[in-house]
Amino acid sequence: ATTFLVAMKATVSKTLRYIPQKKLTVSEPPPEWFGNGPNAEGDKKWTNKNWLKSRFHFSFAEYSNPRNTNFGVLRVMNDDLVQPKRGFGTHPHRNMEIVTYIIQGKLTHQDSMGTSESLGRGSVQFMTAGTGIRHSEKNAEADPLRFIQMWLVPKANGLTPNYGSMCGTKINFDNQWAHIVSSTESDAKTPVKINCEANIKVAVLKEKKSIEFNLSKNRQAYFLAMEGSPIVEGEFGSQKFEQHDAAELYGEEKFKISGPGHVLIVEMDSDGQGGRSDI
């Protein structure tokens, strides 16, 4: 019995590391830092007292943790809740592939290349920051906005800046994977291509519906429960997630993900580093 328990523990640590939301860093910066007016008082549309509530999955801004700086090529994952008529004023980026997935509300983007558009739930936008780009991200609507922003390390620095997007109405992620992002060097047919060896998939699962995710040897993935309470199962056993919970997944493993839940996966080559070392 003792031998079995030790083996089970080793398997869990090898293929899935659970990251509860309490291990994420929450940031609520003053509105003036990003060019906003004072927080609204008495506005029933606001779901948070501060204009912004960010959950940082890795070191970012005021959160610096040398034991949690990245997961492979995934350098940043921020879960941002922006209240109505507020946003991030114009700011610069360089040498990053930036992918944004919209969960709730509508995100309005403007940049130094002349792009201006608004995107809703299920939509994805990307930027190759390359040699330099300036942009703003705002919630111009009357309801809250929530999105996941990911920064991925590009295959090279000094790339030509680029912007692209996909409207969420053009994909079907109901009870199945929607492969929304892949590398420019991949043969995968996805609506968004980035200059980085990574794949991003999303799915919305109803209760009792499930899908599989097969992770090959020498591959790793970062899993996020954006909404709902999905369950992830494998040879290691099972793990229940709540909204905002995450996990590091390692191959070789066949994962079964069951709803209800709105989930996202970023899959990539293993870097051999093992992710967070503070959990």
Side-chain angles (χ1 to χ4, degrees):
T2 302
T3 302
F4 175 76
L5 289 173
V6 170
M8 282 296 290
K9 184 177 180 181
T11 301
V12 170
S13 64
K14 182 180 178 181
T15 59
L16 185 147
R17 177 181 288 128
Y18 174 58
I19 304 172
Q21 65 166 307
K22 66 181 180 181
K23 289 295 185 178
L24 306 179
T25 292
V26 176
S27 176
E28 299 194 48
E32 61 270 19
W33 284 12
F34 292 90
N36 293 285
N39 290 324
E41 295 184 8
D43 189 332
K44 294 182 179 180
K45 290 283 189 176
W46 280 47
T47 56
N48 191 58
K49 290 184 178 180
N50 194 51
W51 74 278
L52 172 67
K53 186 171 188 175
S54 292
R55 289 177 170 86
F56 299 156
H57 286 254
F58 309 103
S59 293
F60 188 81
E62 72 272 19
Y63 168 54
S64 179
N65 179 358
R67 301 177 70 184
N68 183 32
T69 59
N70 64 290
F71 183 71
V73 294
L74 183 59
R75 173 61 190 86
V76 169
M77 179 181 279
N78 293 347
D79 186 337
D80 290 341
L81 176 65
V82 182
Q83 298 306 310
K85 308 299 181 181
R86 299 295 188 272
F88 300 89
T90 303
H91 56 282
H93 291 288
R94 294 177 65 90
N95 293 323
M96 276 289 167
E97 298 293 289
I98 301 175
V99 178
T100 303
Y101 179 79
I102 301 159
I103 302 171
Q104 170 192 353
K106 188 173 287 188
L107 174 65
T108 296
H109 164 98
Q110 290 183 307
D111 63 43
S112 52
M113 296 184 293
T115 308
S116 178
E117 69 173 344
S118 297
L119 296 165
R121 179 177 170 85
S123 298
V124 60
Q125 62 172 208
F126 80 94
M127 291 193 305
T128 294
T131 55
I133 190 171
R134 295 177 62 83
H135 79 135
S136 64
E137 301 155 294
K138 296 184 177 181
N139 178 8
E141 309 303 315
D143 295 300
L145 161 70
R146 183 175 165 224
F147 60 88
I148 306 298
Q149 185 161 102
M150 296 156 277
W151 297 11
L152 299 102
V153 179
K155 62 184 180 182
N157 288 336
L159 297 173
T160 300
N162 188 27
Y163 174 87
S165 64
M166 180 212 66
C167 180
T169 60
K170 295 183 178 181
I171 58 170
N172 181 9
F173 45 49
D174 292 335
N175 302 312
Q176 63 181 339
W177 287 119
H179 191 178
I180 57 175
V181 177
S182 64
S183 167
T184 55
E185 298 178 353
S186 168
D187 292 331
K189 296 185 183 302
T190 59
V192 170
K193 290 284 190 176
I194 59 174
N195 297 287
C196 175
E197 199 290 300
N199 296 288
I200 301 178
K201 299 179 179 182
V202 294
V204 177
L205 302 171
K206 292 182 179 179
E207 191 167 4
K208 298 183 179 180
K209 293 292 185 178
S210 63
I211 52 177
E212 289 188 350
F213 177 68
N214 297 324
L215 196 55
S216 303
K217 186 178 180 180
N218 298 323
R219 300 288 285 179
Q220 63 185 38
Y222 198 80
F223 173 85
L224 175 62
M226 297 183 289
E227 295 177 304
S229 51
I231 295 174
V232 177
E233 300 172 87
E235 291 186 6
F236 62 87
S238 66
Q239 175 66 58
K240 184 175 181 179
F241 291 75
E242 299 297 339
Q243 180 170 299
H244 303 301
D245 291 348
E248 298 169 2
L249 308 181
Y250 298 93
E252 185 177 6
E253 177 69 284
K254 179 184 288 186
F255 298 94
K256 178 183 177 183
I257 304 167
S258 302
H262 188 181
V263 301
L264 177 147
I265 277 182
V266 185
E267 184 250 355
M268 66 202 78
D269 278 334
S270 172
D271 65 353
Q273 300 301 309
R276 292 188 72 156
S277 60
D278 61 343
I279 295 179

